[in-house]
Amino acid sequence: MNLKSTFHKMWPLYLLVIMMWLKTYIVYKTSFDIKIESWMQELILFINPLSFLLFFLGITLLVKEKSRIPLLFVLGSIASFILFANVGYYRFFNDFLTIPVLFQTSNMSDLGNSATELIQFSDLFIFADLMILGAVLAFAKKKNNMSITQPLLKRDKSAYVLLAVIISIVNLGLAEAERPQLLTRTFDREMLVKNIGTYNFHIYDIILQSKSSAQRAFADGSEFVEIENYLKANVRQPNEELFGVARDKNIIIISMESLQNFVIGETIDGEEITPFLNDFIEESYYFDNFYHQTGQGKTSDSEFLLENSLYPLGRGAVFFTHGTNEYQATPEIISDYGYYSSVMHANNKSFWNRDIMYQSLGYDRFFEINDYTVTEENSIGWGLKDKDFFEQSIEHLKSQPEPYYTKFITLTNHFPFELGEEDKMVNEYTSNSRTLNRYFPTVRYMDESIKHFIQRLKDEGIYEKSIIILYGDHYGISENHNKAMAQFLGKDEITPFDSIQLQKVPLIVHIPGQEGSTISRVSGQIDLKPTILNLMGISTQNQVQFGADLFSSNKFPFTVLRDGSFITSEYVYTANTCYEKSTGEAIDVAACEPYMDKAKRELELSDKIVYGDLLRFYNGNDYLGEEVLKQEEN
Ligand code: GP9
Ligand code: MN
């Protein structure tokens, strides 16, 4: 086999493969934050784009000679665009794209400002190789001394395929040695990209997606036995004293956009960042060890946790991927108890597929952008400013039959944290991260709008007959800003342990007539539903739920995050490392081992319910397997 002649005959193909390969590696190093721990990992990262590029661009060998170059450009553009989309997505979400996220095109159009923030001039680099190839080909044509496409013999093609196969085997072999069971464990996208490369990761993702569609089709409800057993074994007695304190009271929930717990009680240039919340905490129950458990679905994932006490998915937003499943969400449950339920959020109703999902969750009404007067003057960033949003919502709130369960979703404290000068009440921070710098004034603004809202509730006489629950939906500052964050927190660096601590979000529960207190038991958004139902005096015994009443002293102090990291009262486990909570020091992983299985099982069982749409087999009391299947057959 004459590799040299093969190379010579197919030089445009090889040239593009090599350029795209190096480009991808440069993008890895500059646009993604992929943690490399050894030279072997670096080597795998370096070679991992190659196998895909050889196969993908090699498709050009299957077509006629004259179509080869145009097809090479088409394929090159597709792969470059995929890389480009990943770079933009990563800039904000600190994560790689997945198929479900990609199909959320209705969200893309809403991204507006954020999208332009996310695209940078330097991204043109991603298409530089195609431009270079174009220029070289034009030059070669002019010179006419380098033939561009030549007839290929079978053995030329075989040599090429052989090379691609060998490189793939080497890549996979090294990856498997470095990280056994890589492809069977899917928690961590970064690990996958690190080992098999961003392009192959997408192929893997497509396979997963088709598998999960098949999962629903094959589920027959027999899976329920295992789930019921697990839930029964883990059931905890809720707090009896608080059972029913909210009966017939309104439930007002405020989802606070991107609010992390580290700002609570903190100051910037001597000014409190959340003065109102700091005061409100004093007269409420405040959970200072409460974690968000969201994945790629961000706000919508936090809503999913809140309403279902199920985990969102490891990939995509469950609001999108499983928006028409059968659920037994809080709004549906409480309608039997005379409650009216609604959501207020001044954004397009289709964002995060909310319009569809809210029906599945059993909401009576969704007050969306068309229910608000949104003008240029009262908008910033993603839309209606929080203060105006709350002010306009008061009328909606008053129009509802009581008692009601109403969820407010704020918006102003959203990346890229834009705010007009007139609304800035604290200074920006000074660091190398514009994002972190701007975070504080928008948090301060949100705090002020909530203060205003609570005052309005008092004016309207709603406050005293309502339980008010405020929680942060997810992180606002991603790990991309670790350096600035370390500076703000006065640390040398942000360790993986610190990163987990930064996933704490505030949870505040205000019950009229009760002084409240600070509760430091480890907990998460999964616990909201059982807590709320218990306050409402609704028994949670037969609920399919993974959380527990936060007020119960029996609650197991354990919270698993969507990436499989977990927190107990003594330990934090993340990135295959066990940390002692009191010191933040890495210790022997054996200490975390007893909880590792539980963490994995919780996520697996919850995923099973979602993928198999298993709640269609459950009526809240009995397993309905046979009946449901018969109905579906007809
Ligand atoms: C969109 C708002 C923000 O309506 O909830 O969503 P996020 O980007 O935070 O998930
Ligand atoms: Mn959000």
Side-chain angles (χ1 to χ4, degrees):
M1 210 173 288
N2 188 345
L3 255 183
K4 200 174 151 211
S5 101
T6 314
F7 188 80
H8 186 71
K9 283 183 188 167
M10 301 189 241
W11 69 266
L13 170 60
Y14 277 108
L15 179 63
L16 190 62
V17 167
I18 290 171
M19 286 195 296
M20 292 193 74
W21 168 26
L22 297 178
K23 164 183 82 178
T24 310
Y25 180 69
I26 293 171
V27 167
Y28 283 168
K29 299 307 282 182
T30 52
S31 300
F32 303 145
D33 178 23
I34 301 176
K35 286 165 216 82
I36 296 293
E37 284 146 12
S38 65
W39 66 265
M40 178 54 93
Q41 290 188 0
E42 190 74 63
L43 177 70
I44 297 173
L45 184 74
F46 180 62
I47 61 168
N48 78 28
L50 206 44
S51 61
F52 171 84
L53 290 171
L54 282 168
F55 278 115
F56 189 61
L57 299 178
I59 294 176
T60 53
L61 299 181
L62 302 175
V63 301
K64 292 213 182 73
E65 261 165 61
K66 70 173 193 313
S67 317
R68 229 173 261 160
I69 294 295
L71 184 61
L72 192 60
F73 274 99
V74 170
L75 296 176
S77 307
I78 293 174
S80 299
F81 187 79
I82 292 172
L83 194 62
F84 168 70
N86 268 301
V87 167
Y89 187 75
Y90 196 93
R91 214 162 269 152
F92 177 35
F93 291 100
N94 208 31
D95 203 344
F96 301 95
L97 274 170
T98 59
I99 297 297
V101 169
L102 207 63
F103 284 106
Q104 289 162 21
T105 42
S106 54
N107 274 15
M108 295 297 171
S109 60
D110 292 319
L111 273 169
N113 276 348
S114 304
T116 45
E117 282 269 338
L118 292 175
I119 297 171
Q120 293 174 1
F121 184 70
S122 55
D123 295 345
L124 270 183
F125 165 75
I126 294 176
F127 299 92
D129 43 9
L130 290 166
M131 295 181 223
I132 294 175
L133 181 68
V136 172
L137 284 172
F139 182 75
K141 217 174 205 171
K142 219 165 132 200
K143 284 267 168 188
N144 224 355
N145 58 359
M146 254 169 132
S147 49
I148 292 173
T149 45
Q150 289 186 19
L152 294 174
L153 299 174
K154 208 164 174 198
R155 62 157 199 243
D156 295 324
K157 295 184 186 176
S158 311
Y160 182 89
V161 173
L162 189 68
L163 179 69
V165 169
I166 290 175
I167 288 181
S168 306
I169 293 176
V170 169
N171 187 167
L172 271 180
L174 289 178
E176 186 61 27
E178 179 66 25
R179 168 85 34 225
Q181 292 180 324
L182 172 73
L183 301 183
T184 45
R185 289 184 73 245
T186 45
F187 281 142
D188 190 1
R189 273 177 289 281
E190 181 181 315
M191 209 181 274
L192 280 163
V193 171
K194 193 154 96 178
N195 284 288
I196 62 170
T198 171
Y199 306 110
N200 286 331
F201 162 70
H202 292 301
I203 295 179
Y204 173 78
D205 184 47
I206 291 170
I207 297 171
L208 272 195
Q209 179 67 18
S210 15
K211 226 170 100 185
S212 76
S213 325
Q215 259 159 340
R216 183 186 192 275
F218 287 119
D220 62 4
S222 58
E223 302 85 347
F224 232 97
V225 184
E226 191 193 354
I227 293 164
E228 270 192 316
N229 287 342
Y230 178 82
L231 295 177
K232 272 184 194 147
N234 285 284
V235 83
R236 290 286 179 276
Q237 184 65 31
N239 183 313
E240 281 172 24
E241 253 168 66
L242 291 176
F243 182 79
V245 291
R247 190 170 286 144
D248 297 331
K249 287 211 161 65
N250 300 316
I251 307 283
I252 294 176
I253 299 173
I254 303 178
S255 157
M256 299 182 287
E257 179 57 45
S258 302
L259 189 65
Q260 290 175 233
N261 202 52
F262 78 92
V263 295
I264 301 292
E266 266 293 342
T267 56
I268 184 155
D269 291 343
E271 304 275 345
E272 282 180 281
I273 302 164
T274 56
F276 173 72
L277 293 180
N278 296 345
D279 288 348
F280 197 57
I281 280 169
E282 294 300 317
E283 45 188 270
S284 310
Y285 292 98
Y286 167 52
F287 297 83
D288 64 354
N289 238 325
F290 179 80
Y291 291 81
H292 85 81
Q293 294 162 295
T294 62
Q296 291 185 319
K298 304 301 268 315
T299 310
S300 66
D301 278 357
S302 72
E303 295 181 66
F304 188 76
L305 282 145
L306 162 76
E307 315 290 14
N308 297 300
S309 193
L310 293 174
Y311 292 94
L313 299 180
R315 325 162 23 254
V318 60
F319 262 41
F320 260 102
T321 56
H322 296 82
T324 50
N325 269 17
E326 177 64 34
Y327 293 105
Q328 279 152 17
T330 305
E332 188 179 322
I333 296 170
I334 62 177
S335 72
D336 288 344
Y337 293 78
Y339 269 85
Y340 181 83
S341 59
S342 66
V343 182
M344 306 213 184
H345 182 47
N347 197 359
N348 292 353
K349 63 175 193 298
S350 61
F351 201 95
W352 285 131
N353 200 30
R354 283 187 174 106
D355 49 347
I356 308 291
M357 186 58 162
Y358 285 166
Q359 287 176 29
S360 305
L361 297 178
Y363 270 108
D364 291 317
R365 176 80 155 91
F366 177 17
F367 293 91
E368 36 88 19
I369 193 157
N370 294 312
D371 295 291
Y372 292 86
T373 310
V374 183
T375 64
E376 215 156 275
E377 286 72 50
N378 67 15
S379 299
I380 188 85
W382 275 49
L384 187 60
K385 295 201 248 177
D386 287 348
K387 218 181 245 176
D388 299 80
F389 161 62
F390 280 126
E391 183 55 43
Q392 292 185 31
S393 296
I394 290 284
E395 283 312 308
H396 297 322
L397 203 57
K398 282 165 61 184
S399 74
Q400 304 187 141
E402 289 187 309
Y404 48 73
Y405 170 95
T406 297
K407 174 168 74 184
F408 293 80
I409 304 172
T410 66
L411 203 51
T412 308
N413 188 40
H414 193 290
F415 177 86
F417 309 115
E418 287 175 68
L419 199 64
E421 282 307 317
E422 69 284 5
D423 290 319
K424 283 191 183 152
M425 282 162 284
V426 292
N427 297 335
E428 284 191 8
Y429 187 54
T430 321
S431 74
N432 71 347
S433 157
R434 209 163 83 119
T435 301
L436 181 67
N437 298 349
R438 298 201 293 195
Y439 182 63
F440 301 104
T442 50
V443 169
R444 175 67 186 86
Y445 172 81
M446 177 165 62
D447 180 83
E448 191 69 16
S449 356
I450 296 172
K451 173 184 175 179
H452 177 78
F453 179 57
I454 300 286
Q455 186 53 49
R456 293 289 288 116
L457 293 179
K458 288 182 179 166
D459 298 345
E460 299 289 344
I462 301 171
Y463 186 72
E464 283 305 320
K465 46 181 178 180
S466 307
I467 305 273
I468 300 170
I469 300 166
L470 302 109
Y471 69 89
D473 62 351
H474 49 75
Y475 70 82
I477 307 298
S478 73
E479 288 173 20
N480 287 341
H481 308 277
N482 270 356
K483 201 168 158 224
M485 185 62 98
Q487 182 192 333
F488 181 79
L489 298 175
K491 289 175 180 272
D492 294 337
E493 58 164 350
I494 300 292
T495 63
F497 172 81
D498 297 322
S499 290
I500 297 293
Q501 297 303 298
L502 283 167
Q503 305 314 307
K504 282 183 195 167
V505 293
L507 167 66
I508 304 168
V509 179
H510 183 266
I511 303 177
Q514 298 210 12
E515 254 179 39
S517 60
T518 296
I519 299 177
S520 301
R521 202 172 298 118
V522 177
S523 55
Q525 290 164 334
I526 198 105
D527 301 312
L528 287 167
K529 179 186 180 191
T531 307
I532 294 172
L533 290 183
N534 191 60
L535 291 175
M536 291 173 97
I538 298 171
S539 159
T540 53
Q541 233 169 24
N542 288 322
Q543 300 289 336
V544 176
Q545 61 185 23
F546 287 87
D549 175 21
L550 287 171
F551 289 105
S552 164
S553 51
N554 299 320
K555 188 200 162 312
F556 193 53
F558 171 83
T559 294
V560 53
L561 307 189
R562 187 53 254 199
D563 67 353
S565 303
F566 61 78
I567 304 103
T568 73
S569 43
E570 286 168 85
Y571 309 111
V572 166
Y573 178 81
T574 186
N576 302 314
T577 312
C578 187
Y579 294 88
E580 190 161 41
K581 215 166 154 194
S582 53
T583 59
E585 271 171 29
I587 54 170
D588 190 347
V589 81
C592 284
E593 233 144 51
Y595 308 95
M596 275 151 83
D597 255 2
K598 182 175 163 66
K600 224 175 131 204
R601 244 166 90 76
E602 286 236 4
L603 293 173
E604 272 172 14
L605 292 178
S606 175
D607 287 353
K608 254 189 193 174
I609 294 178
V610 175
Y611 284 128
D613 192 5
L614 296 186
L615 291 173
R616 67 195 150 125
F617 299 114
Y618 195 72
N619 74 352
N621 276 314
D622 323 285
Y623 164 61
L624 298 172
E626 299 264 307
E627 237 169 87
V628 172
L629 286 177
K630 238 182 243 157
Q631 266 174 15
E632 282 184 359
E633 261 168 39
N634 294 335

